[in-house]
Amino acid sequence: MKEYKIAVLEGDGIGPEVIAQGLKSLSAVEKKYNIKFNYKKGLIGGVAIDATGIPLPLATIELAKKSDAVYLGAVGDWKYDTLDPAIRPERALLGIRKELGLFANLRPAKVFEELVSSSPLRAELVDGVDIMIIRELTGGAYFGTPKGIDIKDGVKVGYNNMIYTEDEVRRIAKVAFETAMKRSKKLCSVDKANVLDVSRLWREIILEVAKDYPEVELKHMYVDNAAMQLVVNPKQFDVIVTENLFGDILSDEASVLPGSLGLLPSASLSSEGPGMYEPCHGSAPDFKGQDRLNPIATILSAAMMLKYSFGMEDAAKDIENAVTQVLKEGYRTEDIHKEGNTLVGTSQMGDLIASKIK
Ligand code: IPM
Ligand code: MG
């Protein structure tokens, strides 16, 4: 029997609850495909700070590196907001991305037909939207040096460095073109090449890699325009590739299209070694333990794990179809609930989706 090792990092807030729902679907997949997932739990974020004093303990990094994939809930809680930024829960995310070399962050924003009316945008704008945002995740201003807050001539100065090497751009460009080849062969590269030098290099390398993918229709867009186009005409986009900070912002913006942050999964991939899979939403500490939040983002993240880490495309499809089926039957968590639907809690949603996988 085929076996996979999965590091389960539940994290803070609603992390444990939503991960539990994803595990239900994975367990249904085990039965259907006669495989075995071996789970090992690790600490990350606030729970790690409480237990060890730091948000990303070495043991967690080692566990992650030894695993075939990492399944992450969420990190963060208000109670750590006063901590030194260097040991805040969010640091753990940046740390694990760097440690595992997770340079490619895939954030799909797909509008479910059944939920078109949940979108804050008009139905005709979002109906059929299916965008894959590919965000560079280990470079740019997030990690660039020098950085800091200094005093210069008696005045405080804060600075970061948005920096990319050509190799860093090339490898994310390849992921983007490969992804585009598997979808509708349309790619939009987002930069700010009219102002930033780092973006001029970005564009130069994107154009160079484009030569290997003549079938892909490539477009460049400035990030300010892209932010506007995403809400004015989101259907024009299929695959979007962009640098770390722009991708952080644009992926949050795109996440409103489907109607709830509770629907959006993500995958973070390296060139070798385990990928990491997590919902795009945060830890929502105010909702913790209330069985109210939408587990679909986390469940769909498990589907991405099956597809990208284990090559189990059929099983991934099973989970996606199960989600669609349950939505078709009218079940909704609070965030997407409308009159005429059946309101369910986190756990019941998890049960319903898993029950469709057989
Ligand atoms: C995200 C988050 C993180 C980021 C934070 C929590 C560090 O906003 O995953 O998009 O900025 O990358
Ligand atoms: Mg973000």
Side-chain angles (χ1 to χ4, degrees):
M1 194 193 293
K2 190 122 185 85
E3 299 198 14
Y4 291 107
K5 288 189 280 225
I6 302 177
V8 179
L9 314 181
E10 297 172 318
D12 305 314
I14 54 143
E17 289 162 63
V18 286
I19 286 284
Q21 309 319 312
L23 296 182
K24 290 175 183 170
S25 281
L26 286 176
S27 153
V29 165
E30 280 182 308
K31 287 197 195 89
K32 175 163 180 183
Y33 291 90
N34 195 32
I35 52 164
K36 173 115 187 70
F37 299 128
N38 296 306
Y39 304 107
K40 280 221 170 76
K41 282 193 189 182
L43 294 172
I44 195 163
V47 288
I49 295 176
D50 288 346
T52 71
I54 52 168
L56 182 62
L58 198 59
T60 302
I61 298 171
E62 278 166 3
L63 169 70
K65 284 185 176 165
K66 276 191 307 204
S67 304
D68 298 309
V70 179
Y71 195 30
L72 177 81
V75 299
D77 198 323
W78 312 130
K79 75 180 207 204
Y80 307 103
D81 275 1
T82 52
L83 285 184
D84 177 343
I87 52 162
R88 289 252 292 260
E90 293 80 3
R91 276 278 133 195
L93 276 185
L94 302 185
I96 198 160
R97 288 172 186 169
K98 201 65 174 179
E99 285 290 343
L100 299 179
L102 304 171
F103 70 92
N105 183 213
L106 275 48
R107 296 189 166 182
K110 186 173 169 177
V111 174
F112 287 93
E113 204 185 304
E114 295 73 22
L115 299 180
V116 165
S117 65
S118 298
S119 176
L121 296 193
R122 286 198 310 277
E124 74 257 31
L125 286 183
V126 296
D127 191 18
V129 161
D130 184 356
I131 301 173
M132 175 65 88
I133 296 194
I134 301 186
R135 167 189 176 193
E136 201 292 327
L137 202 58
T138 51
Y142 272 63
F143 294 94
T145 52
K147 66 179 185 112
I149 302 176
D150 295 343
I151 297 181
K152 216 176 161 184
D153 302 329
V155 181
K156 282 192 198 162
V157 214
Y159 51 95
N160 289 88
N161 189 4
M162 190 187 274
I163 181 167
Y164 275 100
T165 65
E166 57 178 306
D167 294 344
E168 285 174 318
V169 181
R170 205 169 279 120
R171 67 179 180 177
I172 193 74
K174 280 187 186 145
V175 172
F177 279 100
E178 289 293 333
T179 308
M181 283 301 287
K182 290 190 200 128
R183 291 171 55 107
S184 67
K185 302 188 178 160
K186 268 175 63 182
L187 176 63
C188 178
S189 169
V190 172
D191 63 35
K192 188 71 184 170
N194 51 344
V195 177
L196 301 176
D197 298 291
V198 59
S199 280
R200 280 199 293 122
L201 175 70
W202 177 277
R203 195 176 280 212
E204 181 189 320
I205 303 299
I206 295 277
L207 281 166
E208 176 200 301
V209 176
K211 292 187 192 133
D212 296 334
Y213 299 91
E215 282 172 64
V216 174
E217 182 196 320
L218 172 68
K219 233 170 114 169
H220 304 275
M221 203 180 274
Y222 297 137
V223 62
D224 48 351
N225 186 27
M228 182 184 78
Q229 296 294 336
L230 261 177
V231 285
V232 171
N233 179 14
K235 274 188 245 186
Q236 71 185 287
F237 296 107
D238 188 354
V239 182
I240 293 176
V241 64
T242 191
E243 67 90 42
N244 205 345
L245 181 58
F246 297 164
D248 179 45
I249 298 166
L250 292 182
S251 64
D252 258 33
E253 190 189 4
S255 76
V256 303
L257 302 173
S260 169
L261 205 45
L263 298 166
L264 285 126
S266 80
S268 304
L269 310 174
S270 66
S271 33
E272 50 196 28
M276 187 165 87
Y277 303 86
E278 62 181 307
C280 282
H281 61 69
S283 55
D286 295 340
F287 288 80
K288 181 180 171 164
Q290 295 175 29
D291 196 40
R292 283 168 66 188
L293 274 228
N294 192 342
I296 290 181
T298 309
I299 295 171
L300 290 174
S301 299
M304 291 188 91
M305 171 159 72
L306 295 171
K307 176 170 172 180
Y308 292 102
S309 279
F310 309 151
M312 298 178 66
E313 303 240 358
D314 290 345
K317 268 267 160 314
D318 286 340
I319 294 185
E320 288 163 16
N321 292 340
V323 170
T324 309
Q325 188 57 36
V326 167
L327 292 175
K328 269 209 176 83
E329 289 172 11
Y331 296 103
R332 303 280 189 275
T333 40
E334 182 177 313
D335 55 319
I336 47 175
H337 183 258
K338 290 242 156 68
E339 220 187 297
N341 295 143
T342 313
L343 181 65
V344 296
T346 309
S347 180
Q348 198 186 343
M349 184 55 105
D351 288 334
L352 284 163
I353 293 169
S355 74
K356 306 282 179 208
I357 303 166
K358 48 190 173 224

